[in-house]
Amino acid sequence: MKYRVFVTLKPGVLDPQGEAIRHALGSLGFEGINSVRQGKMIELDLAEEDAAQAREIAIAMCEKLLANTVIETYRVEPA
Amino acid sequence: MKYRVFVTLKPGVLDPQGEAIRHALGSLGFEGINSVRQGKMIELDLAEEDAAQAREIAIAMCEKLLANTVIETYRVEPA
């Protein structure tokens, strides 16, 4: 089973990387940008064939390694 | 309009970051991982209200800054 994990900063957490992108886009002449936030996408290809089981594994991976749950949230979706 | 941009390495391009995550998951006791690929997700909040127009802007941003189209592909989705 393939799963996609999206890890994003919680609202309110400062995102200097997103801010840097916003500035860079501004210097390139893009206007009207309210905000830019950057997150991570991780594509997992798991040997587990059972969808529910694979989802559980992906969530455990997020909790243990992929996301810092103090400042980040994650979403797991079948790919 | 809010758009989400997903930037991923093209198939065949080596992904050392994904490989590092796979190793780390292995050391944490996770088994049966065929592969891990890491990509970027960028959330754009644009002042442009017209959906088609905003999409064009997001695509232009990808071509000019957000993605390195030599080794990466991107996907633009309404958020």
Side-chain angles (χ1 to χ4, degrees), chain A residues 20-33, chain B residues 57-67:
Chain A
I21 295 173
R22 199 169 69 85
H23 273 281
L25 287 171
S27 349
L28 285 173
F30 290 102
E31 286 168 10
I33 307 167
Chain B
I57 296 173
I59 289 173
M61 287 173 172
C62 288
E63 289 286 339
K64 284 207 183 153
L65 182 77
L66 305 180

Side-chain angles (χ1 to χ4, degrees), chain A residues 46-66:
Chain A
L46 304 174
E48 177 64 57
E49 288 298 332
D50 180 66
Q53 202 77 17
R55 195 189 160 81
E56 285 305 309
I57 296 173
I59 288 172
M61 288 173 171
C62 288
E63 289 286 338
K64 283 206 183 153
L65 182 76
L66 304 180

Side-chain angles (χ1 to χ4, degrees), chain B residues 37-57:
Chain B
R37 307 275 291 174
Q38 164 138 23
K40 281 178 285 183
M41 178 176 64
I42 299 150
E43 295 180 328
L44 300 168
D45 184 351
L46 304 174
E48 177 63 56
E49 287 298 332
D50 180 66
Q53 201 77 15
R55 195 189 160 80
E56 286 305 308
I57 296 173

Side-chain angles (χ1 to χ4, degrees), chain A residues 9-10 12-17 37:
Chain A
L9 286 169
K10 289 184 179 171
V13 177
L14 279 181
D15 179 5
Q17 210 173 353
R37 307 274 292 172

